[in-house]
Structures are given as structure tokens and as C-alpha cells.
Amino acid sequence: MAADGHYPEYWEADVVLRDGGTGHLRPISPSDADAVQSFHVSQSQNSIYLRFFTYKAKLSAKELKRFTEVDYHDRVAFVITRGSDIIGIGRYDRLDDPLEAEVAFNVSDSHQGRGVGSILLEHLAAAARENGIRRFSAEVLPENRKMIMVFAEAGYEVERHFDDGVVMLSFDIDQTRKSRAVMEAREHRAEARSVAELMTPSTVAVIGASREWGTVGYSLLENLVEGGFTGTVYAVNHDAFELHGLLSHATLAEVPEPVDLAVIAVPHDQVDAVVDQCAAAGVKGLLVATAGYSDDDGSGIAEQRALVHRARAHGMRVVGPASLGLVNTDPAVRLNASMAPSLPGRGTLALFSQSAGLGVMLFAAASRRGLGLSSVISAGNRADVSGNDAMQYWEDDAATGAVGLYLESIGNPRKFSRIARRLALTKPVIVAKSDVTGLQLPPGHAVRTTQAPGGALDAMLRQSGVIRVETTEQLLDVAQIVSSQPLPDGPNIAVFSNSSGLGKVVADAVAAQSMTVARLVTGLDLDTGMSVALPALEEAVSAALADASVHGAVVTTLPARGLSAEAIAKCLHQCGQRAGKPVVASFTGVLDQRLQPDGLEHGLPCFPSPGAALAALGAVVKYAKWRVRDHGEFLDPEGTDYDAAAAQLAGILSRVTGVGLTRLTPAESAALMMHYGIPLLPSERFESVAEAVTAAELLGWPVALKTMDEHLRHRLDLGGVRLNIDSPAALERTIGQMEKELVPFGSFGMEVQAMAPAGQACTLRAIEDPLLGPVVSFGMAGDAVNLLDDWGHAVPPLSSVDVADLVRSPRASRKLFGYQGLPPADVGAVEDLVARVALLKDRHPEIAVLEFTPVLVSTTGLSILGARIDVGNPRQRTDSARRAMRD
């Protein structure tokens, strides 16, 4: 909040416009007066009339002062710039009602239709909510249909009426699921378009092209030309006249037509100058192959950020630096702007990688297996274009049927989660990441790291429906199946082998992958020759696949006399195609495990070992189950009051200094939780026996007595709590006994608390993580979480199914469902509590830590016996309520 009038730098953001171009959004400042005047005089008479309801040839000095000098609290204005030019201005001014502000926009005539107005509205609404404003109003002339549509299509409930020749509009700006969905849809279209511009250029210029064999510039130009790019290629090198049969241009300015994609392969110290030349020439996108931005002292990261900001300010997206390149196998494009020596075969698998080394591994492994590809994006240091951008593009790309990503770092996991969840509903998404992804950063990657509990990031991936693997080989194992086979309708698998021992081992492995052996045939006789063995094999496999209860087949064989693996593969491929069910094979002892018989995406997935085949098939079975399951709804529980909670937290934040935390008092905690319909079991601290008796009388007998030490207060075994105290005398006696028993541990205060119905003890925790944002964790209280780390984790927002999965994910959660003859606990009450805490944490990042322990769950409800809530100044979340590119 900028109530002090200081410039709020954190409001600045690079944004993607509707057509895929970029711009820079920032708060206005007094130094913008000349630029605002230039913007105004360049507008048409009609645009000026629609904005001011009259014509003004120029703005007066008084008007310029009013427009550019704002306090960033009651009066806020944003500009969107391209280069040094303003292309749009939006502002709000608080009205007499402190909860309402008037909003207005003005968009450059030459940039109409690019979504500038909707982006300004999103950022103004976010700033207004931050400053305590809850409603916008606007006066618009009836003929200004474009501006009326900006408001009407934003997802808010707009009220309108006609008054004295003007349309009066007003609407609440609190985010709704509809307004959020509108924002995400616009974000998707813009980011998908921006990547599509990079992947389908008509003209490509290789800057730094070289005639020296083995250099990056030489390889990029050669591969682009030899790959048969259908557009026009230009070589730019100030020292050469001719390169690869192309006329070389000394500078980009000499290229005779606009350039869509500039491939930069110049020395590190020349990159900035080249980017400036690209900006001046109106280049749409940059592929930066140049490395050298990974210095340990941080200077490389600073240079990388400056490069990206300079490019975005002039409407250009950046792939890289240190990118291996871009590949698009579409016959209409045939783009091989990469270090790959040849254009891959056409297929349906899309690949994304970051560092060049892992990109080479991934690309080589795909080629070795004969996997056809639709496109490849190597993001290098992913300073701009990221895996999120790539997924936005592939969601719309009809040529892509499955997506594989190797992630060494993740910059915006909440955004990744919502994009991946949406994409995985229609296309398999396979993600390879190491156990340290999110904890450590590769050189040149400038993103946050996580402090969340171990397993939280993996839990987020599971929520999203992605297929999580650990290595490039495992990624491509799964890709072989999803690129060539239909998804299974269930887990029942038929197992075939010509070895009884091998077949039994495979059957056991099927169960280990959470699948079921529907049929086991280990007596295949494949030594009878091709004319006899193949028809018998085809009959056996086809009969099994014809059974509706069989959902797929695994065939693993030892070498057979007179029968080649290729012939078996062809037979199995035909069986699977006729049945419309997945079939995978492992030919033990056969070295070449390429897809057979047709290669690319139409063959049979073959694996060097049955274990690899079953691990991949098991992952696909789980994904197919996730895809067809009910994914629940994102519902807000009844009885929540965001405004009241926000007001209370704002008051508490006034006590917080710097990065410190403030612990809420029991009364503050109880009041805050009631704003979200979460009652805490009342308790009262005391200093004397008389105060304890008075508190017990107020709470009602019987009561519990607890120490205030957070490690002992729920430990019956260590004397930290006594239950069912039913009289003043018993309370006085118990206080004395507890004081003596706790002497070895120290001296602590005490409290009395109302008794709760007996039940299973749970723990619910929520934190604000620098990378993931809100993380909610659930477990059974005691040794399960304290010693065995038996937690379930989830990252809000949570659907009703996500909540149910979280409650059931700890191994010890079976205690809630009638464990060892006990009656089942009220799981519905637990799910309601988890849903409320998830919503609270999603809405209020100021809550740094929230912990309920224990939560006693009876057969008819639950009681929260202990609550610890810490509040602090939150960092800006990676996925905010406004469209902004990752910085």
C-alpha cells in the first residue's frame, strides 16, 4: 500500500497483450507529463471526445499536473508503454464514499483491440482492493461501445443505467470465480498467441551466423536452412558477404523485410546492442543462444533481467539465454532453429527443457526411440518464455497430443498448477524433476526457492494431474505409450510371456504398480515358426483384449527361434489397434527397442525391460483414472466474511515491523477464525487458583487444565494436560500436582479449557511459502506427524475433491474411517474445516503460519483445542490477481 505517496515500484509489471506482443505497465509519475501530452495530441478527435466528453487539442498544465501527480492510494493511475511511448492510460479516483472510486481509460488509437483496456482494469482493481476500495463506477458515452465492453466482459456483475445522455456503470471489484476465469482465459489466449508467433515465423534472421564450422552461429544457420524452413532466412554477419548460399547482411537494418524471429548467436558482450537493433527493426521475438549469464556474483542475472526488460518494453518475447533452440515439425513451417543436426520426424509429442545439456539428453533419447515430435522448446535460463507459456501454446496446438517437460526450476508453481490441470484434462502432461527442484537453483535461473514441507511441490503436481517422473528416460518411457496408444479404461491388464518364470515376475510387478492381472498366459509357444506362432499369438492376445474386463496388455518374451521381434511387434500392434486398447512389449535380449513397426507415433511401445514397461504403463493407468474422475467444484463455504477478516488483519499488521511475525492472542485468533466460520474451543489463562475457578465456572464444568508450553500442552503422558476436572477442589488439587510434575521441564503458565467430546486427534497446518504461496498440510496428531512425517499436503485453491484427497492422503488417516472397530469419525466436518482454512489462506497471505493442534474429531463434529496463528508482511505471490509476466 502506498498511502504515504511513495512510488509503489512493486506494482510495475511486464504484460502480454491480446495479439501476443508485450508492453510494460507501471504507475504514472510526474515525469510522465510530456509523454502524456504526446499521447493526447496523437489521439483522434473522436477518441478525445469519448474520453473527456468534449474536444481538447492539448491538455493544460493544470490538467497534466492533476493527471500525473497522484498519491497512489486515493488517486492511482497506470500507463502501459511500448519503448518510450505510452499506449494506454487508466486511473481511478476515490469518491466521497471511501469504498468507491471512479475509473477511466484512454487507449491509443493505434493500439485499439490489443486488450490494453482490460489489462489496465485488472491492475487498477488489484491496486484499489489493496487500498480498501471495493467498488468502481464509470461514466461512459453511449457511443463508446468499446469501453462499455471492457467493463461488461471483465466478469464483474455490472449495473448500468442511463442518466442525462451518459451511461452510468458500477460494479463490485472483489474477485469472483467468474472474473478470475475471464482473466485466466484472456491470459491463456495472449500467452498462447505470443508463443505461436515464435513457433511459426515467416522470416528468421540469424544474427551472428558464421562460416566457421562447429560454431553455434554456423550450426544454427545450417540446421535452419537444411531443415527446409518454409519461410525466408536471413544471415546477419558484418564480416561475411555470403553464408550457406545466402547473401549476408552486415546489420539487421539491411534486411529488406520485417523479421519475425531473430536468432542471436553473438558474443555475450554484443547481445545488448543486437537486442536494441531488433527493437528498432520491429522484430517480434528473440531466440538467444548466447550463454554467459550464470556468473556466481549475480552480475549475469542482472544483465539477463535487463535484457528481458529491454525486449519486453519493445514488444518482444525472449527464448533463452543459453537456449538450445526451437523446433516445429509442421510441414507448413519446418522450423529447426536449434542445434539439432536434422529436423525430427513428425509426431504428436511436444518437449520442453531448460538447460542445453538436459535438452540435448531429452532430444537424443527421443530420436533414439524413434519418437515423432510436434515441437520442441529449449528455454535455456528461462528468463522469459517458460514452461507455463509453452503449455498455454500446446493446449491450443492441434498437432500436439502429449507434452513432456523437464523442469530444473519452477518460477510460478501456482500458475503452473492451474494451467497443467486444465491441459491434463485433454492431453497427458509428463513432468520430470529432481528431488531438489524448487530447493536449489541451476546457474542462471533467477526464481524463488521453496521453504515448504518436503512433498508439497509433488503434491501440487498430483493435484494438477500431471504424470510425475524423475528422469528423461522415464519421461520418454511414458511418452512412448501416450503418443502411440489409447488410454486404458481401467487397471486390469493381461500378461503374456513365453516363459513361465518371466511371466510370474511380470505378474507380480503388475500388482506393485497398482494394476490388476486380469489374465496371465505364460505358455506361449513361439518356437513353432512364424507361420504357426504368429497366428497363435494374435489369437491369444486378441481374445484377451476382446474381453471388456481387460483394459490393456503387456507382452514380454525371450528370443524365439525363427521369429523376429519385429514380426511379433507388428502382430501386437495390429491386435491393439483393432481392440482400441493399449499394448506394450518388452523383448528381453533385444537391443533395438525403437517403436515398431511403423516408428514415430503409430508403432508399438517397446522397452528393454519389463520393469520399465510396467512402471510407464502404471503411470498412464493412474493418469487415465485421474482424467475421468470427478474433479469436484471450487466452492466457498458459507459463513465467511473476507472484508471483516481483512480489516482485522490490517490492524494487526500495523504491529509488524520488517520481516518479523506477530503471534495472535487467543482472543484475536478466535475472532479471526469466526470470520471464516471456524469456532475455537474456548479457554482462559489464569494467574491464581481463584482466577482458575472463576474461569472454570464461566466455561462450565468439567474442564481441562493445560500448561501453556506449546510442546507439553497436549501431552498427557508428560503431565502437560489433565482432563475431566469437575469441581473447584479438584481443580485446586490438580493445579498443585501439575506444578510439581512440570518442575523438571521449567515453569510455565496454565489455562483451563472446556472439555471436548472424545475423538481422533488431528493436526491442520497452513503456511505462506515464498515459492508455492499457501500450503495446507493435514495429519493425525502425535507420533504420526512428529516422528514419521506422515503428512498430506495441498496447494490452494482446493476443489471439493482436492480437500477429500488431502484428508485421506496421510497413511494414518485410516483411523478416521472406523479403525480397529471404532466408529467412523465425522470426516465431513474435517473436510469442511480444511476447505475453510484453504480458502482463508488463499485469500490472506498475511497469515504466515496457522496451526490447529489437536483437532479432536468425534462421530458428530470436531473441536479445535489449540490454535497458533502468526501474521507478517507478505511477499507478492508468484500468481497474483492481475496478469503479469514473471520478473
Side-chain angles (χ1 to χ4, degrees):
M1 186 181 299
D4 56 5
H6 290 168
Y7 181 83
E9 186 176 359
Y10 68 97
W11 280 350
E12 293 194 20
D14 294 324
V15 294
V16 183
L17 305 179
R18 182 179 298 160
D19 59 0
T22 59
H24 184 66
L25 180 144
R26 58 174 175 79
I28 205 165
S29 69
S31 62
D32 288 316
D34 290 343
V36 171
Q37 186 71 275
S38 297
F39 169 85
H40 178 83
V41 299
S42 68
Q43 292 288 78
S44 66
Q45 292 186 20
N46 185 59
S47 293
I48 293 172
Y49 172 73
L50 293 177
R51 168 63 180 88
F52 295 101
F53 298 6
T54 187
Y55 176 68
K56 298 173 181 284
K58 291 183 67 176
L59 296 174
S60 68
K62 183 178 179 180
E63 288 171 325
L64 285 173
K65 180 180 176 65
R66 183 167 66 87
F67 290 155
T68 59
E69 296 183 13
V70 296
D71 60 12
Y72 307 114
H73 186 258
D74 294 332
R75 299 177 60 245
V76 170
F78 287 112
V79 296
I80 296 181
T81 61
R82 175 157 181 170
S84 59
D85 297 330
I86 293 175
I87 65 174
I89 304 174
R91 63 182 301 110
Y92 78 70
D93 293 87
R94 197 188 297 260
L95 300 175
D96 292 338
D97 180 349
L99 298 181
E100 185 172 353
E102 184 177 10
V103 65
F105 304 96
N106 199 357
V107 177
S108 168
D109 291 338
S110 57
H111 293 273
Q112 296 278 347
R114 302 186 70 198
V116 173
S118 62
I119 291 176
L120 286 167
L121 177 58
E122 288 172 16
H123 285 256
L124 283 170
R129 287 193 297 268
E130 182 179 327
N131 288 328
I133 294 170
R134 292 291 175 265
R135 190 171 182 81
F136 273 171
S137 59
E139 298 181 2
V140 184
L141 290 173
E143 55 266 41
N144 196 352
R145 296 186 179 276
K146 290 182 179 179
M147 195 52 57
I148 293 175
M149 294 305 295
V150 167
F151 296 118
E153 295 177 354
Y156 299 111
E157 296 295 329
V158 180
E159 300 173 3
R160 66 175 73 186
H161 66 275
F162 196 72
D163 184 14
D164 195 22
V166 175
V167 179
M168 310 295 292
L169 306 172
S170 60
F171 51 93
D172 291 338
I173 58 173
D174 286 336
Q175 269 210 319
T176 64
R177 299 207 181 276
K178 182 179 179 182
S179 66
R180 181 81 187 189
V182 168
M183 187 201 77
E184 291 174 3
R186 288 172 170 169
E187 174 190 67
H188 164 69
R189 289 192 297 269
E191 293 178 357
R193 177 72 179 272
S194 73
V195 177
E197 294 285 338
L198 295 167
M199 301 300 293
T200 58
S202 298
T203 53
V204 177
V206 181
I207 305 172
S210 173
R211 62 162 55 101
E212 183 178 345
W213 186 87
T215 62
V216 173
Y218 178 97
S219 298
L220 287 169
L221 182 61
E222 180 184 49
N223 298 340
L224 190 59
V225 173
E226 296 299 323
F229 177 57
T230 59
T232 305
V233 179
Y234 293 98
V236 179
N237 186 315
H238 57 79
D239 294 328
F241 180 75
E242 179 271 334
L243 291 168
H244 291 284
L246 302 174
L247 177 66
S248 177
H249 301 274
T251 66
L252 188 63
E254 295 181 7
V255 173
E257 62 177 316
V259 172
D260 294 329
L261 176 66
V263 180
I264 300 177
V266 300
H268 175 265
D269 59 358
Q270 298 177 23
V271 172
D272 286 350
V274 170
V275 172
D276 290 338
Q277 293 173 24
C278 293
V283 173
K284 293 182 179 179
L286 305 178
L287 167 59
V288 182
T290 304
Y293 293 88
S294 305
D295 307 280
D296 292 336
D297 64 1
S299 60
I301 296 295
E303 293 176 357
Q304 184 172 276
R305 284 198 177 106
L307 182 158
V308 171
H309 284 310
R310 185 182 296 110
R312 289 175 176 173
H314 290 86
M316 299 180 289
R317 298 297 310 263
V318 179
V319 180
S323 169
L324 190 67
L326 299 173
V327 172
N328 185 352
T329 63
D330 184 346
V333 181
R334 295 188 61 84
L335 175 71
N336 184 19
S338 78
M339 297 298 292
S342 61
L343 188 72
R346 181 70 166 161
T348 61
L349 176 65
L351 294 177
F352 173 88
S353 66
Q354 292 170 353
S355 71
L358 284 167
V360 169
M361 288 176 56
L362 197 59
F363 190 88
S367 300
R368 185 171 64 250
R369 295 165 184 249
L371 271 168
L373 304 176
S374 62
S375 53
V376 179
I377 298 176
S378 167
N381 291 356
R382 52 181 292 284
D384 180 15
V385 173
S386 67
N388 290 343
D389 296 299
M391 288 193 297
Q392 300 275 40
Y393 165 68
W394 284 324
E395 183 178 355
D396 291 347
D397 182 29
T400 295
V403 172
L405 305 98
Y406 195 107
L407 301 179
E408 298 167 72
S409 68
I410 182 167
N412 191 340
R414 274 163 62 86
K415 182 175 179 178
F416 176 94
S417 177
R418 61 181 169 84
I419 297 174
R421 186 193 289 252
R422 191 178 65 232
L423 175 59
L425 289 172
T426 57
K427 301 177 182 182
V429 180
I430 315 159
V431 174
K433 80 169 193 68
S434 74
D435 290 335
V436 300
T437 300
L439 298 172
Q440 301 175 11
L441 295 180
H445 290 228
V447 296
R448 299 177 185 178
T449 54
T450 181
Q451 301 168 8
L457 182 55
D458 284 341
M460 185 205 73
L461 294 176
R462 285 194 297 272
Q463 278 178 244
S464 307
V466 305
I467 303 172
R468 160 79 162 91
V469 297
E470 295 183 356
T471 67
T472 56
E473 292 299 324
Q474 291 173 353
L475 188 156
L476 292 169
D477 285 346
V478 175
Q480 284 190 176
I481 298 177
V482 297
S483 296
S484 64
Q485 303 294 301
L487 293 176
D489 291 331
N492 300 333
I493 305 300
V495 177
F496 297 88
S497 180
N498 62 343
S499 164
S500 58
L502 182 59
K504 181 64 171 63
V505 169
V506 172
D508 292 341
V510 167
Q513 294 295 335
S514 301
M515 297 182 290
T516 303
V517 177
R519 291 195 185 190
L520 176 59
V521 180
T522 61
L524 290 176
D525 186 359
L526 301 181
D527 292 324
T528 54
M530 187 174 295
S531 61
V532 176
L534 279 183
L537 175 64
E538 181 177 359
E539 181 180 359
V541 174
S542 295
L545 293 177
D547 185 344
S549 65
V550 174
H551 305 125
V554 175
V555 181
T556 178
T557 67
L558 298 175
R561 292 191 302 270
L563 193 61
S564 67
E566 288 78 10
I568 296 175
K570 184 175 182 179
C571 172
L572 297 177
H573 174 60
Q574 292 171 346
C575 292
Q577 278 196 317
R578 284 196 298 267
K581 297 179 180 181
V583 178
V584 300
S586 173
F587 300 118
T588 305
V590 178
L591 297 179
D592 186 4
Q593 300 288 338
R594 291 168 62 91
L595 287 176
Q596 303 288 345
D598 299 323
L600 306 180
E601 76 276 18
H602 298 300
L604 180 77
C606 303
F607 298 86
S609 70
L614 290 172
L617 183 59
V620 174
V621 167
K622 291 176 184 175
Y623 163 70
K625 180 181 179 181
W626 175 89
R627 184 159 151 173
V628 299
R629 73 179 294 193
D630 176 16
H631 295 281
E633 296 180 280
F634 292 91
L635 299 175
D636 294 345
E638 294 182 357
T640 63
D641 190 339
Y642 167 83
D643 288 336
Q648 183 183 351
L649 287 168
I652 295 169
L653 280 173
S654 64
R655 310 199 308 255
V656 178
T657 58
V659 295
L661 299 177
T662 290
R663 176 70 53 84
L664 268 60
T665 66
E668 289 174 329
S669 296
L672 180 62
M673 291 303 98
M674 284 307 298
H675 296 319
Y676 276 79
I678 302 173
L680 304 181
L681 194 66
S683 62
E684 294 288 341
R685 294 189 65 170
F686 62 86
E687 300 295 336
S688 65
V689 172
E691 288 183 8
V693 171
T694 301
E697 297 283 358
L698 180 66
L699 295 172
W701 304 96
V703 296
L705 178 66
K706 295 181 178 181
T707 176
M708 295 303 298
D709 180 75
E710 62 182 39
H711 300 295
L712 297 173
R713 58 186 283 107
H714 304 298
R715 295 295 300 270
L716 276 167
D717 55 336
L718 297 179
V721 59
R722 298 290 182 89
L723 305 177
N724 289 311
I725 303 169
D726 58 4
S727 68
L731 179 58
E732 181 177 3
R733 184 174 60 253
T734 305
I735 291 172
Q737 292 173 347
M738 184 179 287
E739 286 176 341
K740 292 179 181 179
E741 291 181 5
L742 293 179
V743 167
F745 302 103
S747 178
F748 313 105
M750 294 186 185
E751 70 175 5
V752 290
Q753 187 172 48
M755 285 294 298
Q760 297 288 356
C762 305
T763 295
L764 183 61
R765 181 181 296 167
I767 67 167
E768 184 71 18
D769 181 66
L771 179 63
L772 298 176
V775 178
V776 178
S777 304
F778 175 80
M780 304 305 294
D783 290 344
V785 293
N786 296 333
L787 297 181
L788 303 179
D789 201 30
D790 184 23
W791 289 97
H793 306 288
V795 177
L798 303 184
S799 71
S800 54
V801 170
D802 294 332
V803 169
D805 287 347
L806 174 59
V807 171
R808 289 159 178 78
S809 56
R811 295 184 298 278
S813 65
R814 287 177 293 174
K815 295 170 70 175
L816 296 171
F817 297 90
Y819 180 70
Q820 291 186 338
L822 294 174
D826 189 347
V827 176
V830 179
E831 293 176 350
D832 179 71
L833 175 63
V834 171
R836 292 176 185 276
V837 169
L839 181 65
L840 171 75
K841 222 21 231 95
D842 195 31
R843 287 177 169 179
H844 302 284
E846 309 95 314
I847 299 175
V849 179
L850 178 152
E851 183 171 352
F852 294 157
T853 186
V855 178
L856 288 186
V857 188
S858 68
T859 57
T860 57
L862 57 79
S863 302
I864 302 171
L865 275 62
R868 175 171 67 94
I869 302 174
D870 293 336
V871 171
N873 288 310
R875 295 180 65 181
Q876 182 73 27
R877 282 180 174 168
T878 54
D879 190 31
S880 67
R882 59 196 184 111
R883 276 182 284 169
M885 302 169 75
R886 181 178 54 83
D887 187 349

